[in-house]
Every structure is written in C-alpha cells, then in structure tokens.
Amino acid sequence: MDDTDGITVKLSDLLRHPEDLDKIPALKSDFTRKKAAIDGQLKLGLKDQLELTQAGMTSIADGQRSVNLIKEEMMKIDKLCAEAQDMIRDFPNVNLVSQTHRNFSQVEQMKSNLDSFNDRLASLEVLLREDDGNMEEMPNLIPIHYELSQLRNIRDDAMDQIKRAADHSLQSTLEDYFAKLDDTIAWFDEHVGIICLNLINVVQSGKNGMVVRLAVIIEEEEKNDKRVKALQEAQKDYGELAARFKSITTGPKEIRGYKEKFLESIKLHAEEQFVDSMRQFNEDPDRLEKSLRWFFNELNTVKLGMTALMPKKWRIFKTYGDIYHGLMHDNLVRLIDDPDQKPANMLAIIHWSEKYYAKMAKLGFSATELQPHVIDEREAALVREWRQLIIKFLDEWMLRIARSDRADFLDRKPDVLERDENGYFRTRHLVDTWRMLHEQTQAAGNSQRVDVTDGVIDAMFRTIKERQAGWQRLVDDECARHAAGTAEPDSYQTLQDWIAAVANDQIACIDDGPDGDQPAYLTRFARDYAPLVSPTYAERTADAQLEALRDGFVDLGTHCIARFAGLIFAVDFRAVLPDFFTPRWYGEAGMKRLVSTFDDYLQDYQAVMHPSMRDILVAELADELLVRYLSAVRNRGARFRRADPFEAKIRDDVLVVFAFFDRFDDFALVKQKWRVVDWFARLLAAEKAAVAPLWLDFKREYPDAGLAWAEAVLRARDDFERGMLKELKARAAEAEVVRGVETIMSKVK
C-alpha cells in the first residue's frame, strides 16, 4: 500500500461517524502544528548543512592556496640554489667534495644496515614468537612495528637505489637477500589482523592497552600512506625538484593500506555475524530481532569502550555505524529481492524497519545520518494472501502455456498452427493467454483492494514481458541452428511458417483495426484493469508499462521478420553469396536469382502473413541484401581487376534490385539506402592517390562506416598497396567526423 492509501485509511479511521466531522478543526490545527514543527526542523537542518558545506569549501580553498604557496617557495629555493653556484669560488670542487662525502656516508650507512639486517630480523622473530605465546596481550606489538618499519625502509631504499642505478645485475641478489622480510611482515600482519577481527571482544574483555597499541600502529601507517601519496604527487608534478630533498625521498616508498585493511576487517567481522543472523531469520522470521541483538551490543561497545581509545579524527563510532548500517541495508534488501521469499519473512522485515531506527536513535544515530534507508524506503505493506494466490496461479498458468508453446514450436507439426478470420497464421495459445489474463484481472478486482489489484496487474506486465522474451529466445535459437546447418532440412519450411505466425501474433495484440473499432488484446486488457487499479499506480507505473508492452510487441514482431529474412540469406543463398565479386560473379546473374527468390517468398506468404509484417519483410530484405552485398568484399577470391568491367556489373546488380523493389511503397527509402553502393564502386575504381580523400567524403556522409570494411575494400583491389591503407588510416585519424543518425553502414562489418 502506498503512502496516499495509508493516509486515506487513517482519515477513514478518524472520521468514522458523522459526529466526527466536528473534529475537523481540531485535526486541522494539530496537522498544521506538526507541519510547522517539521518545517522548522528542516530549515534548521538545511542551515547547518549550508554552514558545514561553506566551511568545507573555505578549507579546501585555503588548502589549495597553501599548496600553491609551497610550490612557489620550493621553486624559489631551487632557483636560489642554482644562482648560488655562480657566487661561490670553486663551487664545482666544493660541491664535488660535498657530494663525495655525502655518498660515502650513505654507502657506509647502507652497508651498516645490510650487515645488521639479518640480526635485526632475527630479533623481530623472537618478539613475534613471544607474542604468539601471549595472544591475549601481544605486548611487543609497537616495538615490532617500529623495527619492522625501519627494516622496510632499508629494503625500500636499497631497492630504489638499485632500480635507479645504471647496472641492475645485483637486483635479483638484493631481492633474495630481503625475501625473508616478507615472511616476517606477513607474520606481523597476521597478528594485526587477529586483533582487528576480534576488536569488539578485545574491548569487551577490557584489554585497552592492546586497542591503543593497535590504534597507534594504524595511525602511524595512515600518516606514512598520506606522506607517500604526497610524495608520489610531488614526483609526478615536480620530479626533479622533489628528488633533491632527502627528507622527502627517504622513508616508505609504497602505500601499505593498514587503515583500509582495518576498516575492511570491521566489515568482515560484521558479515560473519550477519550470516548466522540471516540463517536464523530464514528458519524463523520471528527471531529477527533476537538474531540481531549482537548488532546493537557491538555498536554500544564501540560507543562506550572504544571511542576514547582511538584517534578523535577517526570518528570511530560513526565509522562503525556507517559500516554496520550499510551491511544491515544490503542484507535486508537482498532478502526483500529474493523471489522465493516467504510473505511472513517480508512482513517481519517491514516491521523490523521501525524498530531498527528506534534502537539506532537510542545509540545516538539520527535517521538522516543512516543513509541509504535500511530497506530503501520500501515499507509499503505486504499485499494480502489473496494477491499472492492470484499471482502464483498466474505464474503457474503462464509457465504451462510457455512449455506447451515451446513443445509445439520445436515439434513444428503442421496441424498445430491456426488461422484467424483473415487467413493469417496464428499460434494456438494466444487466445487462451489473453482469456486467462482477463479472468485473473476480474478476480483481483473482486477483492476490492487496490493494493491487491496493483500487485496482480504488475505481475501480469511481468509475465507478458517474459512471454515476449521467451518467444524471442526460441526463434533465435532455432534460426541459429538452421543458419549453422545443424538442424534438419525438412523442418526449414515449417520454421518459417512458425516465425510468420509468431510475428502475426504480435500484430494481433496491438492492432485495433483501421478505424479503431476492433480493439486488440492489449487494448481490451487495459480497459479491464483501468477502473480497478489505484490512480497513483495507473499514473506512475501502469501507463508506462502498457507502452513498454506495446513497444515490446512491435519489437518482437519486427525481430521475427528480421530473423525470417536472415534465414533466407543464411540457408537459401548459402551457395550464391560466396560467388559475389569473384571471377564467377561476372558470368552469372546472381542478383537476379536473389530477387527471384524474394518474389517467391513474398507471393507464398502473401495470404498468411499480416500486411504490416509483409511491409517490414520487404524493408528487411532490402537492408539485409545491401549489407550482404557490401560485405561480400570479404569473400574468398573476391578481386576487382582494373581490366574487368566490375563497375558495369555493380551497376547491373543495382538496377536489378531497383527493378524488383520499385513496386513497393518504400522504394524511395530503399533507393536512398542503396546510394551507398555508388560510393562502394567509386572506392574500387578511384586512382590510388584519390582513395583517401574519397574515403573522407564517404565517412562524412556515413560516419558509422568502419575502417575494417574499408581495408577489405582496398585489399580486394588488384592494385592494392600497403601505402594506400596507411594513408587512408592517417587521413581518417585526422578527420573530425560528426556522428549523426545511424546509417546502413553500421551493420556492415
């Protein structure tokens, strides 16, 4: 039930008797007072948000100015250093001695670090073993982290130097030397991960020292990551300048992401809890509140026991709240979206929403802070059992019809297809489908509840769309089998009859007759449900769904005819099309054979195919013939020799096509599309130097023409040279082509 219906019900409860009309002034005053209070809260909240936004924008602007000032000062320092070199006598010698001393000191320091590296690593392993034996406290966490950071920095500096050196021959030696450090890091990370995943239990057990140690480590790593990010940005923008400052280039070189891993562990811990809670809920929906008791207990633990132990800037309580709320939202929405969800479970979720926000408010979270809404504001009441029964019956009936249609289509017995009053092919279950929809619409209306009717009609829209999709899949699969040559040849004719019948069905669903005096199935369906659904549903959903169905019938009918035309080319013309543009093409009347086959099909199906579908078939045949004709340049053996009369042959083919399609109403459109063949012939006949400019002119008129096709055309010329293709591609890359309406070339690959 939507919000409007809820308000209507409440008003009907308040104004149940005639004497209740005296309450209207008091009710109006009460509602006015509540509205004024809500408006005041909204204005206050908006003012706070505007102030926060303004303050944030001011801070960002100040920060940007500071960054720009720092950049300018660093550039000034660099300039002064460069100028000072000319002010000091013998500066090159002094600088050389200074650099030599500095390099010697760095080498000495690096040697000392490398010599002591393994001993320091062994000491770390001793501390880690001690913590392994005291997992409840882990007293060595900070010393281990400090020393491990030093060793990491030593490795990073050494690897950085070897990578910047001219000789990389010792890089693999250094990598082997430092290999054991990775194992120690993984060992330490495992300890940190254990604490993170059990952080709530650690706080509840009163081990505040361990929590503080963890926070110190993660905060330090967070600072290092920010420093690394800043260094990377500085090196990207001012690499040479930044590299001169030792204080900038020393230290960590890579982002380690401990803060992100910490946040991820919070999420993983909660996800494990949710798995058990959702299992209990599915077993017994009444246990939802009990199964989620841990959720609020842990947030309360964070609020009372963890907030004081973590850096204030982390806002750890809000962080936990956001993560936990996001998981609550994801799990509940997933349950709601489950098509097999039981009505009792859905009702429990809806009831839980209000309790959830009440409990979160006690913890200090307002509803505006908890975004998105825990169930995406889908609190509309569950439809009654009557609606569920109707929808279940509807789904089962439509499934039986779909299975019967599939069996009939795959068996393709000639006597299964029916004919309507005009003699057009029809499938036998079309009438039964719409009769059943009519009966179920009336059954929903008998409930005299718009929420029931809204839900049933919505389900009908869904099942009709599924029926459309099912027919499309069936037609596509069978056409693909025949196109690939894996189907029985004897079933080819009946497949075409079935495709024509399915296409006719789509017209019957939407065609109201020339004067609108013969309502189609879809029109009658709309008239059935219109007085039964709520105005809100009709305006916001039903009208759009009805148009989508109408478009779907048109699309499916057109799709069937397109597949019908595609079968003709894939099966009937399987032996003819490969000869186009080969030496055999000149001596045979291939195009006449094609259009003669078109004529046979159009005559054969004139009496059994709806005129609208025949018109579409003519357009599809013209388009597909043009696409196949242009694509024939890829045929094996296709070659255009300067001495051969290919231009005249192409012109003859076009004249044959025009002579055939001249009798149809859409001939002007066919003729306009086939103008592209003239460009095709010009690309074949043009001089080498004129090909690239001609292609640009062609591309302007047909912006969706592909270079792959152009390459195939050029390669089919007997005078093809790679320079022609290279120049064409270069010109195409430089040209600016404005994309417009899609042309026939979008289908030519």
Side-chain angles (χ1 to χ4, degrees), residues 634 695 698-699 702-711 745-746 748:
R634 298 182 181 276
W695 168 255
F698 176 68
K699 188 72 173 176
Y702 298 91
D704 43 10
L707 277 175
W709 179 78
E711 181 177 350
M745 289 305 299
S746 65
V748 180

Side-chain angles (χ1 to χ4, degrees), residues 102-120:
R102 184 166 58 252
N103 292 341
F104 180 79
S105 299
Q106 290 177 352
V107 171
E108 187 177 39
Q109 181 64 38
M110 179 60 69
K111 181 179 182 304
S112 175
N113 289 335
L114 292 175
D115 289 342
S116 62
F117 187 85
N118 287 327
D119 292 337
R120 296 168 69 178

